[in-house]
Amino acid sequence: DTEVTQTPKHLVMGMTNKKSLKCEQHMGHRAMYWYKQKAKKPPELMFVYSYEKLSINESVPSRFSPECPNSSLLNLHLHALQPEDSALYLCASSQEGVGANVLTFGAGSRLTVL
Amino acid sequence: ELKVEQNPLFLSMQEGKNYTIYCNYSTTSDRLYWYRQDPGKSLESLFVLLSNGAVKQEGRLMASLDTKARLSTLHITAAVHDLSATYFCAVDPTLSGGSNYKLTFGKGTLLTVNP
């Protein structure tokens, strides 16, 4: 299995809703990432988990809350979002250790905040 | 702060023609990645360049890395419509031996190949 699976593919939510994005990989990768991508822009790193511990938080607002329940799963909990948070949210994973840090990206979850 | 500059940002070319996309970066690095993104889709890894002088080829695409010049190129040979996509270069600012996970992406080059 060489895939990163993200659900849902599309999500529409109001500013008062609570929702979650989910990501799963079975490649044995021990680093998992959340990126945010706005239209016609490069991906922006949000969070990195390494061996299930939060390694990087790129000063992301607390209305985004990541969780890594185990080495295969990564969640992003969403609460009280703003319309400007509408974007494509990409999950990625990579192998740990010395050498190339090639990211395998999921298909993304397209989020619309009304 | 690492800066990664791609040019051109927009490239419209005819089928059969050759062209090169450039990726300059501002700090020492020996790890550079090229990704492709189709409209509305995710990113797909194309090439990983891990040392000075590295050259990788896949089909009509060839990527190279010059760490001394802090420059990578993505050369397109005899373009076909299927190559239309956005191409990103990304730089890992750590030297070989570890990673801080923070890839810095260029702004991307939107390539359109016209018949």
mmCIF file of all heavy atoms in Angstrom, chain B residues 48-71:
data_model
loop_
_atom_site.group_PDB
_atom_site.id
_atom_site.type_symbol
_atom_site.label_atom_id
_atom_site.label_comp_id
_atom_site.label_asym_id
_atom_site.label_seq_id
_atom_site.Cartn_x
_atom_site.Cartn_y
_atom_site.Cartn_z
ATOM 1 N N VAL B 48 13.777 13.424 -6.781
ATOM 2 C CA VAL B 48 14.512 13.749 -5.561
ATOM 3 C C VAL B 48 15.973 13.900 -5.958
ATOM 4 O O VAL B 48 16.554 12.990 -6.546
ATOM 5 C CB VAL B 48 14.380 12.611 -4.514
ATOM 6 C CG1 VAL B 48 15.128 12.984 -3.246
ATOM 7 C CG2 VAL B 48 12.928 12.321 -4.236
ATOM 8 N N LEU B 49 16.560 15.046 -5.660
ATOM 9 C CA LEU B 49 17.950 15.327 -6.025
ATOM 10 C C LEU B 49 18.733 15.515 -4.741
ATOM 11 O O LEU B 49 18.435 16.406 -3.947
ATOM 12 C CB LEU B 49 18.009 16.584 -6.895
ATOM 13 C CG LEU B 49 17.182 16.512 -8.175
ATOM 14 C CD1 LEU B 49 17.047 17.875 -8.815
ATOM 15 C CD2 LEU B 49 17.806 15.527 -9.160
ATOM 16 N N LEU B 50 19.736 14.663 -4.538
ATOM 17 C CA LEU B 50 20.369 14.591 -3.225
ATOM 18 C C LEU B 50 21.838 14.959 -3.201
ATOM 19 O O LEU B 50 22.488 14.833 -2.159
ATOM 20 C CB LEU B 50 20.202 13.185 -2.653
ATOM 21 C CG LEU B 50 18.762 12.746 -2.397
ATOM 22 C CD1 LEU B 50 18.726 11.315 -1.887
ATOM 23 C CD2 LEU B 50 18.083 13.683 -1.409
ATOM 24 N N SER B 51 22.390 15.384 -4.327
ATOM 25 C CA SER B 51 23.800 15.752 -4.278
ATOM 26 C C SER B 51 24.110 16.688 -5.432
ATOM 27 O O SER B 51 23.371 16.755 -6.425
ATOM 28 C CB SER B 51 24.677 14.501 -4.372
ATOM 29 O OG SER B 51 24.439 13.833 -5.587
ATOM 30 N N ASN B 52 25.233 17.356 -5.305
ATOM 31 C CA ASN B 52 25.645 18.266 -6.367
ATOM 32 C C ASN B 52 25.870 17.481 -7.648
ATOM 33 O O ASN B 52 26.515 16.434 -7.639
ATOM 34 C CB ASN B 52 26.923 18.992 -5.962
ATOM 35 C CG ASN B 52 27.301 20.056 -6.967
ATOM 36 O OD1 ASN B 52 26.434 20.742 -7.503
ATOM 37 N ND2 ASN B 52 28.577 20.182 -7.255
ATOM 38 N N GLY B 53 25.326 17.989 -8.729
ATOM 39 C CA GLY B 53 25.500 17.311 -10.007
ATOM 40 C C GLY B 53 24.476 16.225 -10.271
ATOM 41 O O GLY B 53 24.514 15.594 -11.330
ATOM 42 N N ALA B 54 23.563 16.006 -9.325
ATOM 43 C CA ALA B 54 22.562 14.951 -9.522
ATOM 44 C C ALA B 54 21.695 15.285 -10.727
ATOM 45 O O ALA B 54 21.304 16.434 -10.933
ATOM 46 C CB ALA B 54 21.698 14.803 -8.274
ATOM 47 N N VAL B 55 21.420 14.257 -11.515
ATOM 48 C CA VAL B 55 20.536 14.387 -12.674
ATOM 49 C C VAL B 55 19.579 13.198 -12.659
ATOM 50 O O VAL B 55 20.006 12.059 -12.504
ATOM 51 C CB VAL B 55 21.318 14.410 -13.996
ATOM 52 C CG1 VAL B 55 20.348 14.475 -15.182
ATOM 53 C CG2 VAL B 55 22.286 15.581 -14.038
ATOM 54 N N LYS B 56 18.299 13.506 -12.798
ATOM 55 C CA LYS B 56 17.304 12.439 -12.875
ATOM 56 C C LYS B 56 16.426 12.685 -14.098
ATOM 57 O O LYS B 56 16.116 13.837 -14.422
ATOM 58 C CB LYS B 56 16.407 12.440 -11.617
ATOM 59 C CG LYS B 56 17.143 12.130 -10.316
ATOM 60 C CD LYS B 56 17.305 10.664 -10.131
ATOM 61 C CE LYS B 56 17.958 10.325 -8.809
ATOM 62 N NZ LYS B 56 17.052 10.503 -7.680
ATOM 63 N N GLN B 57 16.026 11.586 -14.756
ATOM 64 C CA GLN B 57 15.168 11.720 -15.946
ATOM 65 C C GLN B 57 14.021 10.739 -15.854
ATOM 66 O O GLN B 57 14.176 9.591 -15.413
ATOM 67 C CB GLN B 57 15.976 11.472 -17.212
ATOM 68 C CG GLN B 57 15.148 11.643 -18.475
ATOM 69 C CD GLN B 57 15.992 11.861 -19.710
ATOM 70 O OE1 GLN B 57 17.216 11.763 -19.658
ATOM 71 N NE2 GLN B 57 15.353 12.176 -20.818
ATOM 72 N N GLU B 58 12.862 11.213 -16.272
ATOM 73 C CA GLU B 58 11.681 10.366 -16.360
ATOM 74 C C GLU B 58 10.873 10.848 -17.556
ATOM 75 O O GLU B 58 10.307 11.945 -17.548
ATOM 76 C CB GLU B 58 10.838 10.489 -15.082
ATOM 77 C CG GLU B 58 9.575 9.647 -15.081
ATOM 78 C CD GLU B 58 9.856 8.182 -14.820
ATOM 79 O OE1 GLU B 58 10.815 7.866 -14.106
ATOM 80 O OE2 GLU B 58 9.092 7.347 -15.330
ATOM 81 N N GLY B 59 10.879 10.042 -18.601
ATOM 82 C CA GLY B 59 10.130 10.421 -19.798
ATOM 83 C C GLY B 59 10.672 11.706 -20.397
ATOM 84 O O GLY B 59 11.860 11.825 -20.676
ATOM 85 N N ARG B 60 9.823 12.679 -20.575
ATOM 86 C CA ARG B 60 10.203 13.944 -21.200
ATOM 87 C C ARG B 60 10.722 14.971 -20.197
ATOM 88 O O ARG B 60 10.984 16.126 -20.569
ATOM 89 C CB ARG B 60 8.996 14.531 -21.926
ATOM 90 C CG ARG B 60 8.469 13.619 -23.016
ATOM 91 C CD ARG B 60 7.164 14.139 -23.609
ATOM 92 N NE ARG B 60 6.576 13.164 -24.508
ATOM 93 C CZ ARG B 60 6.881 13.041 -25.794
ATOM 94 N NH1 ARG B 60 7.762 13.873 -26.325
ATOM 95 N NH2 ARG B 60 6.310 12.125 -26.545
ATOM 96 N N LEU B 61 10.846 14.608 -18.947
ATOM 97 C CA LEU B 61 11.301 15.517 -17.903
ATOM 98 C C LEU B 61 12.676 15.094 -17.404
ATOM 99 O O LEU B 61 12.925 13.904 -17.191
ATOM 100 C CB LEU B 61 10.327 15.527 -16.726
ATOM 101 C CG LEU B 61 8.897 15.973 -17.007
ATOM 102 C CD1 LEU B 61 8.049 15.865 -15.749
ATOM 103 C CD2 LEU B 61 8.852 17.382 -17.551
ATOM 104 N N MET B 62 13.545 16.096 -17.213
ATOM 105 C CA MET B 62 14.864 15.856 -16.650
ATOM 106 C C MET B 62 15.158 16.945 -15.637
ATOM 107 O O MET B 62 15.010 18.138 -15.932
ATOM 108 C CB MET B 62 15.944 15.846 -17.721
ATOM 109 C CG MET B 62 17.320 15.492 -17.180
ATOM 110 S SD MET B 62 18.543 15.291 -18.473
ATOM 111 C CE MET B 62 18.758 16.977 -19.007
ATOM 112 N N ALA B 63 15.588 16.539 -14.445
ATOM 113 C CA ALA B 63 15.884 17.496 -13.377
ATOM 114 C C ALA B 63 17.351 17.390 -13.023
ATOM 115 O O ALA B 63 17.940 16.309 -13.042
ATOM 116 C CB ALA B 63 15.023 17.224 -12.156
ATOM 117 N N SER B 64 17.931 18.539 -12.656
ATOM 118 C CA SER B 64 19.336 18.555 -12.260
ATOM 119 C C SER B 64 19.514 19.490 -11.071
ATOM 120 O O SER B 64 18.672 20.348 -10.805
ATOM 121 C CB SER B 64 20.214 19.002 -13.424
ATOM 122 O OG SER B 64 19.926 20.354 -13.745
ATOM 123 N N LEU B 65 20.630 19.300 -10.376
ATOM 124 C CA LEU B 65 20.909 20.107 -9.186
ATOM 125 C C LEU B 65 22.356 20.565 -9.204
ATOM 126 O O LEU B 65 23.270 19.752 -9.359
ATOM 127 C CB LEU B 65 20.631 19.298 -7.911
ATOM 128 C CG LEU B 65 20.922 19.983 -6.585
ATOM 129 C CD1 LEU B 65 20.048 21.219 -6.408
ATOM 130 C CD2 LEU B 65 20.721 19.009 -5.418
ATOM 131 N N ASP B 66 22.562 21.854 -9.026
ATOM 132 C CA ASP B 66 23.878 22.449 -8.856
ATOM 133 C C ASP B 66 23.880 23.129 -7.492
ATOM 134 O O ASP B 66 23.357 24.228 -7.343
ATOM 135 C CB ASP B 66 24.139 23.457 -9.986
ATOM 136 C CG ASP B 66 25.517 24.107 -9.889
ATOM 137 O OD1 ASP B 66 26.119 24.055 -8.805
ATOM 138 O OD2 ASP B 66 25.982 24.666 -10.883
ATOM 139 N N THR B 67 24.458 22.455 -6.503
ATOM 140 C CA THR B 67 24.400 23.000 -5.140
ATOM 141 C C THR B 67 25.298 24.220 -4.980
ATOM 142 O O THR B 67 25.030 25.074 -4.129
ATOM 143 C CB THR B 67 24.792 21.937 -4.101
ATOM 144 O OG1 THR B 67 26.108 21.465 -4.399
ATOM 145 C CG2 THR B 67 23.808 20.787 -4.099
ATOM 146 N N LYS B 68 26.338 24.292 -5.789
ATOM 147 C CA LYS B 68 27.228 25.465 -5.671
ATOM 148 C C LYS B 68 26.508 26.734 -6.135
ATOM 149 O O LYS B 68 26.629 27.800 -5.533
ATOM 150 C CB LYS B 68 28.502 25.250 -6.463
ATOM 151 C CG LYS B 68 29.410 24.164 -5.896
ATOM 152 C CD LYS B 68 30.730 24.098 -6.648
ATOM 153 C CE LYS B 68 31.723 23.166 -5.987
ATOM 154 N NZ LYS B 68 31.266 21.778 -5.952
ATOM 155 N N ALA B 69 25.766 26.608 -7.215
ATOM 156 C CA ALA B 69 24.993 27.737 -7.744
ATOM 157 C C ALA B 69 23.648 27.878 -7.044
ATOM 158 O O ALA B 69 22.930 28.850 -7.278
ATOM 159 C CB ALA B 69 24.777 27.573 -9.246
ATOM 160 N N ARG B 70 23.297 26.888 -6.195
ATOM 161 C CA ARG B 70 21.984 26.865 -5.528
ATOM 162 C C ARG B 70 20.870 26.948 -6.567
ATOM 163 O O ARG B 70 19.962 27.786 -6.482
ATOM 164 C CB ARG B 70 21.875 27.966 -4.476
ATOM 165 C CG ARG B 70 22.919 27.819 -3.385
ATOM 166 C CD ARG B 70 22.845 28.921 -2.367
ATOM 167 N NE ARG B 70 23.918 28.786 -1.396
ATOM 168 C CZ ARG B 70 24.199 29.673 -0.471
ATOM 169 N NH1 ARG B 70 23.458 30.779 -0.360
ATOM 170 N NH2 ARG B 70 25.196 29.478 0.369
ATOM 171 N N LEU B 71 20.958 26.060 -7.531
ATOM 172 C CA LEU B 71 20.055 26.097 -8.669
ATOM 173 C C LEU B 71 19.674 24.685 -9.075
ATOM 174 O O LEU B 71 20.521 23.795 -9.176
ATOM 175 C CB LEU B 71 20.742 26.788 -9.851
ATOM 176 C CG LEU B 71 20.031 26.728 -11.200
ATOM 177 C CD1 LEU B 71 18.747 27.561 -11.165
ATOM 178 C CD2 LEU B 71 20.959 27.237 -12.311
#
